[in-house]
Amino acid sequence: MTDAAPIVKSLLEDHARIDALLSRLANEAQGEVRPKIETTWDALERALLRHLDEEEVYLFPELAKERPEDAARLASDHARFRHALGEIGIALELHAVRSEVIDALARDLRAHAAQEDVALYRWAAASEAPGPRAFVSRMQRRLAA
């Protein structure tokens, strides 16, 4: 068993960074500051996709074996977030992005983060399965860096 506190803290900080990028993007979308909005978008897209990918590769397969309903619900959320990223990306390319759409994604991500804290992160930190253990090791290396 691994001490959950540092891993959970790191994951929640990851959510806070993504939330901050979403807020910045929404503010920039109101002013249509092109070079800034594109830089923020690139950072947001990379951060969120990395976060989703890591959870899906390292955590969801084992979670699905032990708690299939939680895994299915979280995976469904991830699919919605990927779709929303695609829609926002297209809107940015067309110079038609609306801050309300970004704000809605931010709200959904906040609700999802609260669910993950309970249904995924604490489980992963305590799990002895190979996927979660590899994920916890990655998070420990990230914390040490």
Side-chain angles (χ1 to χ4, degrees), residues 55-137:
E55 290 175 348
E56 291 165 5
V57 168
Y58 292 103
L59 300 179
F60 284 12
E62 293 297 329
L63 182 67
K65 292 176 188 174
E66 295 181 31
R67 295 162 58 183
E69 299 82 17
D70 288 338
R73 181 176 31 80
L74 295 173
S76 176
D77 287 351
H78 280 206
R80 281 188 305 107
F81 300 147
R82 289 177 188 282
H83 179 77
L85 279 175
E87 294 292 318
I88 291 169
I90 290 168
L92 280 166
E93 290 294 320
L94 297 173
H95 299 251
V97 70
R98 294 183 0 246
S99 61
E100 296 84 14
V101 173
I102 299 165
D103 291 339
L105 176 59
R107 279 190 305 277
D108 290 347
L109 282 168
R110 283 184 211 111
H112 176 79
Q115 291 174 354
E116 280 186 336
D117 182 30
V118 173
L120 186 63
Y121 298 158
R122 295 178 195 285
W123 166 85
S127 178
E128 294 297 326
R133 289 181 66 164
F135 183 77
V136 167
S137 294

Side-chain angles (χ1 to χ4, degrees), residues 12-71:
L12 295 177
E13 287 172 353
D14 211 20
H15 284 188
R17 282 189 293 276
I18 291 166
D19 191 56
L21 286 167
L22 278 163
S23 293
R24 187 177 340 150
L25 186 69
N27 289 336
E28 291 168 0
Q30 290 175 349
E32 272 291 318
V33 183
R34 260 339 218 179
K36 255 184 150 178
I37 199 170
E38 289 169 2
T39 300
T40 301
W41 169 250
D42 289 342
L44 169 65
E45 187 177 40
R46 273 193 318 276
L48 183 53
L49 289 175
R50 185 199 77 225
H51 184 90
L52 298 176
D53 288 345
E54 286 179 344
E55 290 175 348
E56 291 165 5
V57 168
Y58 292 103
L59 300 179
F60 284 12
E62 293 297 329
L63 182 67
K65 292 176 188 174
E66 295 181 31
R67 295 162 58 183
E69 299 82 17
D70 288 338

